Amino acid sequence: MFGNQEKCTLVIGSDGLIGEALMTQLQITGKQVIGTTRRRNKVDGDHVYLDLEDVESWKCQRPIDVAVVCAGVTKLHTCRRNPVETARVNVLGVTLLMKNLVAKGVYVIFLSSNQVFDGSIPFQEPHAPFSPKTKYGVQKAEVEKEISKFKDSACIVRLTKVLYSKSPLIIGWINSMQKGKTIHPFSDMVMAPVSLPFVVQVICKVIAEKLNG
């Protein structure tokens, strides 16, 4: 399965929204890439199994140059309701995996969130003090603190709300409006949306230039 020993990019969480789009783009551009999945039925020549709750002895059979951490529990209400369980994945699992990768000379990119701040100040500086108001933001901030110890071996990419044209919510709204039905979008949520293609473009640039910080 892993006969080609050329160093590749590892996309952790390649069956998620961003991970899948990133892996597809890297393959289109001819990059050597392998993804991880927590669904055993999706394991194949391009995907290996990884459970972030059990990373102690995990290792990829192919040599890795860059790893992009796209995996984790991302739903705010899930992290709020189950802070201990989600922290095992979002903090303990992710941090241990990245430590192991960096120790092997792998450059890691961690996808974080604007949730590490409370949203009261626009255009936060990279090293502004953390001020999370959600459990998800707290977990992301804890991982960022650990990554800061990796120096030039890591980069943090903080994302706001990632939107894409095939979002079930948006498609549902479109279908309803085409049928003349009333929709009920959120009235109490403020966000700075970014498109999925833009996010993938940024990550590819970080991979190519191995930016840090």
Side-chain angles (χ1 to χ4, degrees):
M1 185 188 302
F2 301 119
N4 190 339
Q5 290 301 302
E6 180 181 347
K7 284 191 173 183
C8 64
T9 296
L10 176 67
V11 178
I12 301 163
S14 61
D15 45 8
L17 172 64
I18 298 175
E20 183 177 20
L22 175 62
M23 187 163 175
T24 298
Q25 179 61 32
L26 291 172
Q27 290 173 327
I28 289 174
T29 56
K31 304 294 184 183
Q32 292 292 322
V33 58
I34 188 164
T36 75
T37 176
R38 60 184 178 85
R39 298 176 176 86
R40 293 190 181 276
N41 64 333
K42 288 195 174 184
V43 173
D44 56 25
D46 295 322
H47 302 83
V48 295
Y49 179 76
L50 171 62
D51 183 350
L52 284 174
E53 290 192 74
D54 184 24
V55 301
E56 187 71 43
S57 60
W58 184 86
K59 62 180 180 179
C60 185
Q61 298 302 312
R62 287 175 58 177
I64 306 166
D65 180 40
V66 177
V68 186
V69 182
C70 305
V73 182
T74 60
K75 293 183 178 179
L76 300 186
H77 67 270
T78 302
C79 294
R80 183 181 69 251
R81 294 172 183 171
N82 305 290
V84 176
E85 293 83 351
T86 55
R88 288 197 197 106
V89 173
N90 289 350
V91 181
L92 299 179
V94 167
T95 300
L96 179 57
L97 177 61
M98 290 193 295
K99 283 182 177 179
N100 291 344
L101 290 170
V102 169
K104 296 176 182 177
V106 177
Y107 166 78
V108 299
I109 300 170
F110 175 63
L111 300 190
S112 188
S113 167
N114 65 322
Q115 292 286 329
V116 299
F117 302 119
D118 62 12
S120 62
I121 301 175
F123 306 111
Q124 285 279 17
E125 295 295 327
H127 299 290
F130 296 122
S131 56
K133 296 186 69 175
T134 64
K135 287 294 184 182
Y136 177 69
V138 169
Q139 293 172 357
K140 286 291 188 180
E142 289 181 13
V143 178
E144 285 199 23
K145 291 175 185 177
E146 292 299 318
I147 293 178
S148 65
K149 303 174 184 177
F150 298 161
K151 305 297 181 182
D152 294 342
S153 297
C155 181
I156 298 166
V157 178
R158 289 180 184 145
L159 302 174
T160 54
K161 182 62 177 178
V162 180
L163 296 182
Y164 63 114
S165 60
K166 295 182 179 180
S167 165
L169 176 64
I170 295 176
I171 288 178
W173 283 349
I174 292 173
N175 289 339
S176 293
M177 288 188 291
Q178 288 177 336
K179 295 176 182 178
K181 296 181 178 179
T182 300
I183 63 171
H184 301 279
F186 304 111
S187 61
D188 60 350
M189 181 176 180
V190 177
M191 63 179 177
V194 290
S195 71
L196 181 59
F198 177 73
V199 170
V200 170
Q201 178 184 353
V202 168
I203 298 172
C204 287
K205 180 178 178 62
V206 176
I207 291 173
E209 300 185 14
K210 288 189 176 179
L211 304 172
N212 62 75

